[in-house]
Amino acid sequence: SLELHYKDMLFLTIRARNDWSSTLPVENNSYFYPAVELSWIASDLSILKNNPVLSYLKFKGAIAQVGKDATPYSIYPALQASEYYGGGYRYGWTGPNSALKPEIQTQYEVGFEARLWGTRVNTDFTFYKTRCDDQIVNGFRASYATGFVLNNRNMGRFDNWGWEAHIDADVLKNKNFTWNIGVNASRSYSKVVSLPDGITEYYDAYTWVVDGIRNGIAPGNSITTLTVIPKKRNKDGKLIISRTTGLPISEAADVWKVYCDREPKLRFGISTMLRYKQFQLSALFDGRLGATVINGTGRWMWQRGMSESSVAWREGGSIIFDGILDDEFVDTDNPTKNTIIVPLRLGGTDGTVIYPGMAEDWIERNVHYVRLQELRFTYKVHRQWLQKVTKGTLTDASIFVAGNDLVVFTNYTGLDVVGNSNSAALGGTGGFGIDNFSIPSPRGITFGLTLTF
């Protein structure tokens, strides 16, 4: 580690680290992870000192490289106790990969921090870019000829970049009253630069919870894309209809195409605080603009006639889908227009099995929401009075009541706009944006007393 200072204006840190890996092959287990950070406090310049508006200005930048090791027993085969009759030891389901290398992540970052009118206004902005090489993918299907079912491998290169910004200000401030408002926002972009030869789509099986939709990635696209089995269309983009059922046809079961990106156009949060003497009221909002959400719960309920939106179809008569028939004229200049009438109810013991459409029909795009994450009211007991009454036993005390997830404003038609089909334990980009029987956060009211001795 090396640090360089020039008065109070320049601060430079250079770090380098050499890690010895315990799980990688002996001939490849020494890696060098350097990092360099640079910051400059411009407000210490003589021309900016004692400026009545600009109280503090700092520019910063960093370049760092880190590595992520493989999980234990990923390199060489290891025996484990057998649960079968007779006991003993055997190899597990996951095979080894002696060629495995650590993931390497290289990140670049630049930005600034500023304070105006003392600490009346505070703001910061950061732009970042990250390149991930040799991503370790665990648990992909391997050929049974290897003697194992699953394996691990290094897989492809990914880029991620974006920005983060924050500003907060005391709109009103005096001895007894303060009103502060803060806003933070971020936007993230990503790209799959490359995948191993022969792989046109890689998907996370744990996100395949809605038929025909999953979190899949392909070269040249984002790492948060959704892939679907699309509707079959002719060369002019017209929907192709089955001559037998009168229903739209989908592509083959092994044809998966990138359909959309789950990453919202903007993530943001808003905080505000009102304080009058010993009373304080604060609120915290979070939201997204331009998000994409899969309404998996709505699809399931629609098909069974259990949702309000399915009433018209459940009690209606029939429909003719707008498209062309799947015949020899499908790709000609004069395809056969569909005229087949199909019932809206397809059967079932109670007659309420309804045609649910295809995967892409249940992907809602350009979804917005604002959620009141927390609303809190606090009364702080006057300190001098408290210490006098308790004879110094208590130094601080406050009473509060808080409400969590009280209301959500959104144009989403499903149950949970913040839906996530998986827990935080799932790696990668997870299952955010997949609303499939996820239960929204319940409204909660909390009362509390805080005492400091």
Side-chain angles (χ1 to χ4, degrees), residues 166-197:
H166 166 264
I167 184 170
D168 68 82
D170 292 329
V171 180
L172 296 173
K173 186 174 184 179
N174 56 39
K175 182 179 180 181
N176 294 322
F177 184 82
T178 301
W179 178 25
N180 179 273
I181 296 178
V183 178
N184 63 77
S186 65
R187 178 70 165 102
S188 180
Y189 305 85
S190 60
K191 183 179 180 180
V192 180
V193 179
S194 65
L195 292 176
D197 293 340

Side-chain angles (χ1 to χ4, degrees), residues 176-254:
N176 294 322
F177 184 82
T178 301
W179 178 25
N180 179 273
I181 296 178
V183 178
N184 63 77
S186 65
R187 178 70 165 102
S188 180
Y189 305 85
S190 60
K191 183 179 180 180
V192 180
V193 179
S194 65
L195 292 176
D197 293 340
I199 297 180
T200 57
E201 183 223 12
Y202 173 78
Y203 70 92
D204 190 333
Y206 292 103
T207 64
W208 194 355
V209 294
V210 179
D211 185 36
I213 310 174
R214 62 195 186 193
N215 173 22
I217 60 174
N221 293 279
S222 168
I223 62 174
T224 52
T225 52
L226 292 172
T227 54
V228 304
I229 300 177
K231 297 177 181 178
K232 196 171 184 178
R233 300 177 183 273
N234 74 344
K235 63 182 181 63
D236 297 322
K238 295 181 179 179
L239 192 64
I240 299 177
I241 309 297
S242 170
R243 290 179 293 174
T244 304
T245 64
L247 299 175
I249 300 174
S250 64
E251 294 284 358
D254 60 345

Side-chain angles (χ1 to χ4, degrees), residues 115-144:
R115 292 196 293 266
L116 308 176
W117 295 288
T119 58
R120 190 73 177 263
V121 179
N122 303 280
T123 183
D124 63 79
F125 177 87
T126 301
F127 175 83
Y128 63 89
K129 183 175 182 180
T130 303
R131 166 152 289 187
C132 300
D133 292 296
D134 296 323
Q135 290 275 305
I136 297 177
V137 177
N138 297 305
F140 74 88
R141 285 279 180 174
S143 170
Y144 291 171

Side-chain angles (χ1 to χ4, degrees), residues 166-167 179-185 267-273 282-287 369-374:
H166 166 264
I167 184 170
W179 178 25
N180 179 273
I181 296 178
V183 178
N184 63 77
R267 299 173 183 260
F268 66 91
I270 302 173
S271 62
T272 184
M273 183 273 294
S282 62
L284 178 63
F285 298 85
D286 79 289
Y369 81 81
V370 177
R371 176 179 61 156
L372 178 54
Q373 190 170 351
E374 182 184 83

Side-chain angles (χ1 to χ4, degrees), residues 278 379-398 452:
Q278 306 303 113
Y379 171 72
K380 188 173 183 180
V381 180
H382 198 282
R383 179 173 295 182
Q384 293 180 349
W385 178 86
L386 179 67
Q387 293 180 350
K388 180 179 179 181
V389 171
T390 63
K391 297 182 179 181
T393 304
L394 293 178
T395 59
D396 201 2
S398 61
T452 303

Side-chain angles (χ1 to χ4, degrees), residues 29 97 208 222 256 269 273 314 376 383 434:
N29 63 355
N97 184 354
W208 194 355
S222 168
W256 292 82
M273 183 273 294
R314 186 181 66 211
R376 177 181 293 260
R383 179 173 295 182
I434 304 177

